[in-house]
Amino acid sequence: MRMSVIGCGYLGAVHAAAMASIGHDVIGIDVDEAKVAMLQRGDAPFFEPQLGELLRQGIDAGRLRFTSRMADAGGADVHFLAVGTPQVQGGHAADLRYVDAAVDALLPHLRPGDVLAGKSTVPVGTAAAIARRIDPTGATVVWNPEFLREGWAVHDTLTPDRIVVGVPDTTDGAAAVETIRASYSSAIDAGTPFLVTDLATAELVKGAANAFLATKISFINAMAEIADAAGADVTLLADALGHDTRIGRRYLGSGIGFGGGCLPKDIRAFAARAEELGRGESVVFLREVDAINLRRRDRAVQLVIDALDGRVFGRRIAVLGAAFKPFSDDIRDSPALDVAVRLRGLGADVIVTDPAAIDNAAAVHPQLGYARDRDDALRDADAVVVVTEWDEYRRDLSPAHAGGLVRNRIIIDGRNCLDAAAWRAAGWNYRGMGRR
Ligand code: UDX
């Protein structure tokens, strides 16, 4: 099929490359000329495993190209809308300016029978509003939310857990289902569940999924607060809970909490939209989810202060991690970087290291010290804080090796990802978050 993908960020660039890899003819469109040039060269503009390879294969096969000209979308059978929906300045709602601008620019190029498939995370009701705008063109709007995780984006796009498509209850809607089914035929043939819903339900699925995941993380972090007070261990608690198949162990990872470009802003936008619909009370708990999450950062900073007996000013602190999670260079709303910035604000001499995110972090927070080499960051540290659970810290860093580099054997495990017993046995003052 011929496809356009409008917006080539984390979602769109991966979607375009993945669709080309399964044989479709794809044009990726973005207003950012520099990004287009990189993509056209086959270079991933951000850290995402397998993306570069997939881009180069698609471009070499002649099935994938990138442009900033919206007119080039003309002639595609399906247009995937994958632009960002950030949080509005000064509020909690989603900012739809990029969605609106993309639809405006695409409008003159839509033909009868075209399908406009929204993938961006939007407040419920957005698809219906877009459908009204494009109605005169004879094209059909469907909503096809994306559930990809950064770092696993190629995997999640090619082998998703499920494919959801919301369509209008019309003949054109039924035809559009077939267009979407054909777009994903390889995954559907391999057994991926394909769920057809109305537009509003498809929009809600995405917000609800992210709200649930965020709630699960904040639930275990609330238990970490209780565990701290009671002298229990939240990681053992999570293991024990996780064996109950109704609960499951995934997303019960406790520590400094969730961040990134999706969960924090998506739960806020979800609650803001619920308020507009007169159902704010239904999601009041999301405010608590957010508040618990943000308290984790305070807690991590407090653990460092306590471990240094209140004397943080001028002390050298090695911060292991800057990205909001491993396998990503994304620092948007990163709890890791937030902890580093707060420690710097207390006058600490903070040295941040990260395998992928240093350039992004340094561009936004030049006041922090950075070391590309993990051991350089550790050298002479008065305390070490692990804030992103990269394998380089979680698995590959031995307590004995680290002990030979630092000034004080103090380690705060902000992700509860280290073997506490092994670190203590090597003479470290180990402190986890909600761990004895
Ligand atoms: C998330 C959703 O998983 C994805 O389905 C959606 O499409 C976009 O938002 P992503 O932002 O890539 O994806 O990150 P995810 O892997 O879900 O992690 C989000 C945050 O939660 C990270 O900061 C991570 O460190 C944190 N997290 C995750 C925990 O603190 N504990 C966990 O157990 C899991």
Side-chain angles (χ1 to χ4, degrees):
M1 296 187 63
R2 286 169 307 166
M3 303 176 166
S4 79
V5 178
I6 300 158
C8 293
Y10 284 94
L11 168 57
V14 175
H15 189 67
M19 289 294 109
S21 80
I22 54 176
H24 299 300
D25 186 3
V26 184
I27 178 140
I29 302 173
D30 200 288
V31 290
D32 181 341
E33 306 261 2
K35 193 187 282 176
V36 165
M38 269 189 95
L39 288 163
Q40 190 56 43
R41 282 198 304 272
D43 293 334
F46 42 81
F47 179 97
E48 188 62 52
Q50 298 177 51
L51 178 58
E53 212 177 301
L54 224 58
L55 285 169
R56 285 187 288 277
Q57 279 168 12
I59 292 164
D60 291 348
R63 284 198 298 271
L64 177 62
R65 64 195 180 89
F66 293 91
T67 177
S68 56
R69 284 167 36 91
M70 189 61 95
D72 292 359
D77 309 300
V78 51
H79 308 274
F80 288 102
L81 187 62
V83 295
T85 50
Q87 189 172 330
V88 286
Q89 290 282 344
H92 278 183
D95 183 344
L96 294 178
R97 81 174 77 173
Y98 303 113
V99 171
D100 291 337
V103 172
D104 283 343
L106 181 63
L107 212 55
H109 311 292
L110 288 173
R111 304 162 309 171
D114 280 6
V115 174
L116 172 54
K119 296 195 80 62
S120 309
T121 302
V122 291
V124 59
T126 305
I130 296 175
R132 285 192 292 276
R133 274 171 66 201
I134 72 161
D135 189 52
T137 67
T140 307
V141 172
V142 305
W143 218 258
N144 171 222
E146 187 60 63
F147 305 100
L148 62 81
R149 296 160 297 167
E150 287 177 29
W152 297 90
V154 171
H155 169 274
D156 289 351
T157 305
L158 289 173
T159 51
D161 293 333
R162 74 294 209 189
I163 296 164
V164 177
V165 60
V167 298
D169 188 14
T170 59
T171 331
D172 288 344
V177 171
E178 295 318 310
T179 305
I180 297 298
R181 196 192 298 277
S183 306
Y184 296 112
S185 58
S186 50
I188 295 170
D189 292 348
T192 305
F194 183 62
L195 288 91
V196 180
T197 70
D198 54 90
L199 287 174
T201 303
E203 292 170 306
L204 277 180
V205 172
K206 178 61 190 277
N210 279 350
F212 190 87
L213 294 172
T215 302
K216 203 170 172 190
I217 298 167
S218 277
F219 174 83
I220 202 63
N221 280 329
M223 294 305 107
E225 292 181 340
I226 309 285
D228 256 335
D233 186 316
V234 71
T235 61
L236 298 177
L237 175 70
D239 290 344
L241 290 175
H243 283 296
D244 184 330
T245 50
R246 295 169 303 174
I247 298 174
R249 182 65 172 81
R250 294 178 73 190
Y251 282 79
L252 287 184
S254 53
I256 56 170
F258 60 81
C262 291
L263 294 192
K265 67 133 175 115
D266 285 354
I267 60 167
R268 291 170 196 152
F270 196 70
R273 183 65 182 134
E275 297 238 348
E276 284 170 11
L277 294 169
R279 290 290 182 276
E281 65 194 351
S282 306
V283 287
V284 166
F285 69 94
L286 288 179
R287 269 193 234 148
E288 287 308 316
V289 166
D290 210 349
I292 292 166
N293 191 51
L294 295 175
R295 278 207 297 273
R296 302 310 287 159
R297 304 169 185 196
D298 304 337
R299 177 71 188 150
V301 171
Q302 192 58 48
L303 283 173
V304 179
I305 295 171
D306 291 349
L308 290 171
D309 295 324
R311 290 192 298 275
V312 177
F313 191 89
R315 309 295 287 282
R316 186 177 164 99
I317 300 178
V319 175
L320 306 190
F324 83 107
K325 67 171 191 179
F327 303 107
S328 173
D329 65 355
D330 197 346
I331 53 151
R332 286 176 296 171
D333 208 344
S334 168
L337 207 47
D338 196 15
V339 167
V341 168
R342 290 182 196 207
L343 289 169
R344 174 76 197 126
L346 295 172
D349 173 16
V350 172
I351 308 294
V352 178
T353 186
D354 189 286
I358 287 189
D359 292 340
N360 286 344
V364 182
H365 294 293
Q367 79 276 27
L368 302 175
Y370 294 94
R372 290 197 186 271
D373 185 81
R374 182 197 66 192
D375 288 359
D376 287 343
L378 289 170
R379 200 158 286 116
D380 299 329
D382 291 303
V384 181
V385 196
V386 178
V387 278
T388 313
E389 68 278 33
W390 286 98
D391 287 345
E392 284 83 342
Y393 318 138
R394 184 185 62 82
R395 187 193 62 196
D396 304 340
L397 180 60
S398 88
H401 175 76
L405 294 168
V406 298
R407 188 175 301 140
N408 284 328
R409 294 190 178 203
I410 294 174
I411 189 154
I412 312 300
D413 183 1
R415 291 290 183 178
N416 288 344
C417 61
L418 303 176
D419 179 347
W423 285 81
R424 285 183 180 136
W428 285 78
N429 173 359
Y430 168 95
R431 300 190 185 194
M433 301 195 65
R435 296 181 92 175
R436 285 159 66 87

